[in-house]
Amino acid sequence: MDGVGSFGAGRTGSTIDPISFAKQPQTILRVLSWIFSLVVFASIVNEGYVNMGSERLHCIFNKNADACNYGVFLGLVGLLACSFFFLLDYKFASISSVKDRKKAIMVEIGFSGFWAFLYFVSFCFLANQWSQTTADELPLNQGADAARAAIAFSFFSIITWAGLTVRAVQKYLLGTDMTLFTTEHMDGGAPTQPYPSNSPVGETTETSETYQSPPFTENNAAPTYQVPIY
């Protein structure tokens, strides 16, 4: 990982370089996932339904409305999820609590892995329904390009979402550099700094528990007067 610190994000509150952020593999995969989800969603919404001599619209995937609805749902939620996680990636370094960072990574692992599986189901489902679609169901080959685009980009989405899952797992395994965080940081609070010492550098102060008697107490006793003997 490029970062050093809590789950690869560096020190809390560190400055984010937009150019470096845009070049990160995770950011590239996130943008690609957003584009692929947009293609799947737009292809089915715009050309996924045809009118064959009646007012009723039929799904181009073997007239199976579930296939079109599934593709639209997957593409729309994928768009929203990519936007959310993109903002989370950008703001990740500003999260001060290590526990919150860990929760965010775990949510990303679960969602990305689950969405890669759903896109695998989408690819198989749409490809199967498209293979059963006859030429009579699509006069003048209407919507054929849109169907192929939805199937192809569903396959591409499997790769990008799986890549995002791998990157999230790597960040989770990286863990945290505990030397950068105190106990207060673990709870989301600011670290407390000890008061500086007034002693010179390199010198150590020693405390002595030996009792020292006050000065002028032993040798200042009044002398005893002796009467001279004649």
Side-chain angles (χ1 to χ4, degrees):
M1 304 298 290
D2 298 333
V4 177
S6 178
F7 296 98
R11 294 177 179 272
T12 304
S14 57
T15 304
I16 301 175
D17 184 8
I19 299 178
S20 300
F21 175 77
K23 292 181 180 179
Q24 292 180 1
Q26 183 171 343
T27 304
I28 297 174
L29 288 173
R30 191 83 66 194
V31 173
L32 290 177
S33 298
W34 190 91
I35 295 175
F36 296 164
S37 296
L38 177 62
V39 173
V40 173
F41 173 76
S43 297
I44 299 178
V45 169
N46 293 333
E47 301 181 31
Y49 297 90
V50 293
N51 186 352
M52 294 182 295
S54 64
E55 296 181 356
R56 184 177 180 180
L57 297 176
H58 298 277
C59 179
I60 59 177
F61 293 99
N62 196 28
K63 295 183 180 180
N64 189 344
D66 293 336
C68 288
N69 293 336
Y70 185 80
V72 170
F73 168 77
L74 213 59
L76 179 60
V77 178
L79 283 172
L80 299 177
C82 286
S83 301
F84 170 78
F85 283 113
F86 182 84
L87 294 176
L88 181 62
D89 292 340
Y90 190 77
K91 296 293 185 181
F92 191 76
S94 63
I95 301 177
S96 60
S97 174
V98 177
K99 294 180 180 179
D100 292 340
R101 290 187 176 191
K102 183 178 180 180
K103 292 178 182 178
I105 294 297
M106 293 179 66
V107 169
E108 182 179 357
I109 293 174
F111 185 88
S112 298
F114 180 64
W115 223 246
F117 171 75
L118 290 184
Y119 265 115
F120 173 76
V121 175
S122 173
F123 169 74
C124 296
F125 186 29
L126 296 182
N128 176 264
Q129 293 300 308
W130 179 247
S131 65
Q132 299 178 15
T133 304
T134 61
D136 297 336
E137 296 175 352
L138 295 176
L140 302 178
N141 208 24
Q142 295 180 5
D145 293 338
R148 296 188 185 97
I151 295 173
F153 283 94
S154 291
F155 176 78
F156 297 152
S157 296
I158 299 173
I159 301 175
T160 55
W161 283 101
L164 288 171
T165 305
V166 173
R167 294 292 297 181
V169 171
Q170 289 176 346
K171 289 173 63 177
Y172 181 82
L173 294 178
L174 183 63
T176 178
D177 184 1
M178 299 305 297
T179 60
L180 300 179
F181 292 86
T182 61
T183 304
E184 291 79 3
H185 255 112
M186 293 288 291
D187 297 330
T192 56
Q193 298 293 336
Y195 290 102
S197 175
N198 293 328
S199 60
V201 178
E203 295 185 2
T204 58
T205 58
E206 297 181 358
T207 58
S208 176
E209 297 181 356
T210 305
Y211 174 76
Q212 296 181 356
S213 60
F216 309 109
T217 56
E218 296 180 358
N219 300 326
N220 291 342
T224 303
Y225 178 76
Q226 295 183 356
V227 179
I229 301 174
Y230 295 98

